[in-house]
Structure formats: structure tokens, C-alpha cells
Amino acid sequence: VCSVKPSIATPSPLSVDGSPNQGINRIESLTQVSGVLGCQWGDEGKGKLVDILAQHFDIVARCQGGANAGHTIYNAEGKKFALHLVPSGILNEETLCVIGNGVVVHLPGLFKEIDGLQSNGVSCKGRILVSDRAHLLFDFHQVVDGLRESELAKSFIGTTKRGIGPCYSNKVIRNGIRVSDLRHMDTFPQKLDLLLSDVASRFRGFEYGPHVLKEEVEKYKRFAERLEPFIADTVLVVNEAISEKKKILVEGGQATMLDIDFGTYPFVTSSSPSAGGICTGLGIAPRVLGDLVGVVKAYTTRVGSGPFPTEILGHGGDLLRFAGQEFGTTTGRPRRCGWLDIAALKYCCQINGFSSLNLTKLDVLSDLPEIQLGVAYKQIDGTQIKSFPADLRDLEQLKVEYEVLPGWKTDISSVRNYSDLPKAARQYVERIEELVGVPVHYIGVGPGRDALIYK
Ligand code: 2SA
Ligand code: GDP
Ligand code: MG
């Protein structure tokens, strides 16, 4: 299996003969408001593409999810950063990073992330804005996340235990606490007391009393002071930037197959990582949204429970996991691995209307003698299933029809031109394009910034 040592350069603006290269054309032709979204069950490598594209955008914005996300990127010196709440544009000094209203924000986590970035020489001052409408995710949400998972016993979801579901529950039930509430410390204790009392009455093991509230309120008074310079009406900021013709890149967390509506419910996250989540999570109009790039791994991974039709169990799955270093960026959990699932990818493209795809981690398949491609779903009686099943039982019972393609058995991690890829690798990419009907414009051949082929 080929090694995955990151290389360090950023994409060169000029090709060897001095003409602008394909990469810059691809990036510069992206629309004023563009987005990068996950096509599978997360960890497709969205962070890497966002970091690369961010060099050509004024703002990078997150619109949903929270610190459940784990986006791994490398700076120009090859130093690794794992981001959770801070958008992956942060390594580009000119980029403003926006945490939109649809994000759930755990302040201790955010501050820790900012401190970590600053101690590694990344300046965050004046470069991160947090929406005054975003909901605050408290430590107790994380505790509740764990308690709910324990209650579910064998049917646990496999959440990241970062409190995401419980925080969005409070938002939807309408007793959540928002960033703007930090400006009203007179009513803040009462709101927090209601939430904590509610948890204490629901979960017997949850200890709660006046001392706990007092401590938490004191902590949040300090947090409120520290957060103040970051707080903004990001709806206004983003819309004004759009009027001023600035370029905005939206960074999706998780992915469509984990979407609360379109994913494999209930084994999903609690937000909308699909196109619709961009408008509700940032407060921008659908008509300003332009290109959406779907990020899809050359195989499939999933962390947590739930249906996974093309999963490879046993040794084959272990091989892919180690070749691709498939371990959770946030929790370190081993990711389940399987073949690329075209039926799920088509469903995802239908929902999001991608203008192009970024096929990532093609290098990871380099040692395989042959590659399987899940091309369709069939019922047990052999009839083809036309749409992605909503029903978990249908998903568990279906059969996947596979095509077998030849492997290339060559290290491709230093290839930078599409025409230099081995024929079998090009065949694999082109078969995917043909089946899905969306062009692949970017191909990842390593984790580093320059390990990208523009097609
Ligand atoms: P949650 O915590 O409520 O959002 O979990 C619900 C489901 O969503 C999945 N989920 C993820 N899947 C892949 N990657 C995620 N981020 C981390 C990463 C995950 C990690 O980048 O590696 O470190 O484990 C992510 N976040 C949520 C989760 O596994 C549940 O299936
Ligand atoms: P995200 O959540 O979609 O941003 O993805 P993660 O960062 O959680 O996981 C993707 C992992 O794959 C990270 O460790 C990346 O550094 C790495 N990665 C991204 N693209 C490539 C690629 O093309 N090849 C290889 N080998 N690794 C990649
Ligand atoms: Mg991730």
C-alpha cells in the first residue's frame, strides 16, 4: 500500500510553460458563492479542498453541525491541523472565517481550538466571526449525548458524543440558549437553570444543584467577555459581502448520507449537511448559491452504526482502513470501510445538484489488483431498486450489484496531470463520471495541499 506522507506546496499558479494551469482555471471559475459538501457518510476530505480553494475566496463559512466535525488539513510547511469548529479557511491569512447561525457552538472547545491555532502561529484575531444567532452547546449537552447513547444500548447511534443531538433538540424545542444571550447575563442564569433542571429530571444519574449553576454561570461570564469581539450579525456580514462582490465558500460538515432528512435515519447527525442547510444555516438566498462541489472518497467509509450496503467486512476492510488511515479525526474511532456506492452517490447528486465532484484518496486504492464498484441496488428477487430506500429494513436487505475494474498497482501519489495517471486509474474515474453524470474536476492523490490533480 502506498505511503500517505503529505507533500507541502500549494498549487502552482502557472504551469511549466508559463500559462495559467488547469487548477487555477478550475478554481477561479467557481461562482461567487460556492460550497463544498460531503457525498457519503463524512470524512471524504472536504477540509483539504476547502483549504486549497480558500486561497481564492474572501470568506469561508460553516453553516451546520458543530465540533463533531473533524477536518484535517496541512499548511504550506506540511504541519497538520485538525479543525472542528473553526472553518478550514483559517490557514489562509486573507480569509475571514464565519461560524454561521446554523452551527452549534461549544465555547470551551472553540477557545481551545483557537489557542491551539495561535500557539502554532496561526493568527485568529479579527479573522473569526461567530453568529449571534448560533446556539450554545454546553458541557451538559455532551453528558446527555453519552447518557442517551447508553440508554439505546445495542441500538446506539455511535455519535461523536459532542452533544450535537441534545443541543439541536433544545434549539427545535425552543428553549435553547444562543450566542446573543451572552449579552444578557441578567437572564442567562434563569435560562440555563431551566435547561439543567430539565436534564436532572430526565436522567437520574445527573447531579444538579445551585452550586453547579453558580459555577457554570461564572464560567460563562468569562466566556462572554472573551467571545464578545468574535460575535457578529453574520447574516448581515455575509449578505453585505455578497453585495460587494466578495467570494464566499461554504464548508459542509458531515455529509448527505448523515443528513437528518435524507440520510439513513435514525443513524444520522442532527443537522442538514446538504445544500438546503446552506441557506438556513447562513441566511443567504437560494438564488445566490452557485457551484457546489461534492466531495467523494474513491471508496466509502462510515463511522458509527447504521446501514452500509457496500461495506467490506473482515480483512479486506482492515486493509483499506490501514491504507487510508481511516480513523476518526474527532474521536479516533476506526472507520468502517467499503467499496464506492454509486446508488448512494447518485441519490446525493440528485439532492445537491453538484456542478462537479472531487474524487479523493484515489492513491489509497493503488495496491489493489482489482476494484469493485457498487453500481446499483437490487431486491432479493433481482429487481432493480430505482431510488435510495428510506426504510432501514429495505436498506439492510438489498443486494448490491458490482462491476469489477482492474487496479493499477502503481504509486500515483506524485502524479499531478490527469494524463499521467495509469490507464486503469483513468478508467475508474471515467466510469464513475459516466454512471453518476457529474464531472470529476479534482482528484486527490495524497493528503497534502499539492496532492491534487485538476481534470
Ligand atoms: P453526532 O455526533 O450526533 O453528529 O453523530 C451522529 C452520526 O453522525 C456521524 N458523524 C460523523 N461521521 C464521520 N465523521 C465525523 N466527524 C469526525 C471525523 C468523526 C470522528 O472527522 O472523523 O472523529 O469520530 C462525524 N461527525 C458525526 C457519527 O459517526 C454518527 O454516525
Ligand atoms: P473531512 O471531514 O471530509 O474534512 O475529512 P477528514 O479530514 O476527517 O478525513 C480525511 C482524511 O484523509 C484526512 O486525514 C486527510 O488528510 C486525508 N486526505 C484527504 N484527501 C486525501 C487524498 O486524496 N489522499 C490521501 N491519502 N489522504 C487524503
Ligand atoms: Mg472528518
Side-chain angles (χ1 to χ4, degrees), residues 3-4 42-48 69-74 80 88 251 254 295 297 323-329 335 359-364 443-448 451:
S3 77
V4 287
D43 310 322
E44 298 88 353
K46 300 173 289 293
K48 174 185 155 182
H71 298 163
T72 317
I73 55 176
Y74 292 85
K80 180 175 171 176
S88 298
E251 172 179 27
Q254 296 81 44
V295 185
K297 221 175 260 190
Q325 284 300 298
E326 296 297 354
F327 298 91
T329 309
R335 296 174 182 147
L359 188 69
T360 64
K361 302 189 102 163
L362 189 64
D363 55 303
V364 173
I443 300 165
V445 289

Side-chain angles (χ1 to χ4, degrees), residues 107 111 182 185 188 214-230:
L107 287 181
F111 293 143
L182 292 171
M185 273 299 158
F188 182 88
K214 194 164 174 273
E215 256 177 49
E216 197 69 356
V217 169
E218 286 310 313
K219 208 163 76 181
Y220 271 81
K221 276 185 186 160
R222 293 194 299 276
F223 289 166
E225 256 175 57
R226 183 165 178 196
L227 192 70
E228 188 53 43
F230 296 87

Side-chain angles (χ1 to χ4, degrees), residues 270-455:
S270 300
S271 67
S272 302
S274 312
I278 297 179
C279 296
T280 54
L282 277 177
I284 57 175
R287 70 176 174 79
V288 304
L289 248 188
D291 291 326
L292 295 180
V293 184
V295 185
V296 52
K297 221 175 260 190
Y299 48 99
T300 307
T301 61
R302 168 163 209 170
V303 57
S305 323
F308 184 171
T310 59
E311 183 166 16
I312 310 169
L313 299 169
H315 183 60
D318 295 343
L319 279 181
L320 264 185
R321 181 172 315 112
F322 285 101
Q325 284 300 298
E326 296 297 354
F327 298 91
T329 309
T330 302
T331 63
R333 293 180 293 171
R335 296 174 182 147
R336 298 154 67 192
C337 296
W339 300 113
L340 183 57
D341 183 338
I342 295 290
L345 183 56
K346 275 178 158 170
Y347 168 67
C348 175
C349 290
Q350 193 171 49
I351 288 166
N352 295 294
F354 295 122
S355 42
S356 66
L357 295 176
N358 171 198
L359 188 69
T360 64
K361 302 189 102 163
L362 189 64
D363 55 303
V364 173
L365 300 181
S366 291
D367 263 8
L368 300 177
E370 55 185 32
I371 297 161
Q372 297 194 44
L373 190 55
V375 290
Y377 291 164
K378 295 205 155 170
Q379 277 168 356
I380 300 175
D381 65 7
T383 49
Q384 191 150 337
I385 300 174
K386 286 226 170 77
S387 60
F388 191 86
D391 199 303
L392 276 193
R393 283 202 203 169
D394 293 341
L395 270 167
E396 273 151 18
Q397 285 169 8
L398 60 77
K399 295 268 166 273
V400 180
E401 184 186 326
Y402 287 98
E403 270 180 23
V404 181
L405 283 89
W408 43 93
K409 300 282 280 171
T410 319
D411 182 357
I412 57 168
S413 57
S414 53
V415 174
R416 295 292 175 269
N417 294 311
Y418 184 68
S419 56
D420 294 336
L421 277 176
K423 187 168 168 241
R426 280 182 278 126
Q427 236 177 320
Y428 185 61
V429 175
E430 285 160 30
R431 184 67 184 132
I432 294 166
E433 287 180 313
E434 188 178 22
L435 288 163
V436 178
V438 181
V440 172
H441 281 178
Y442 316 87
I443 300 165
V445 289
R449 268 187 185 175
D450 75 328
L452 194 67
I453 297 172
Y454 297 90
K455 180 172 173 293

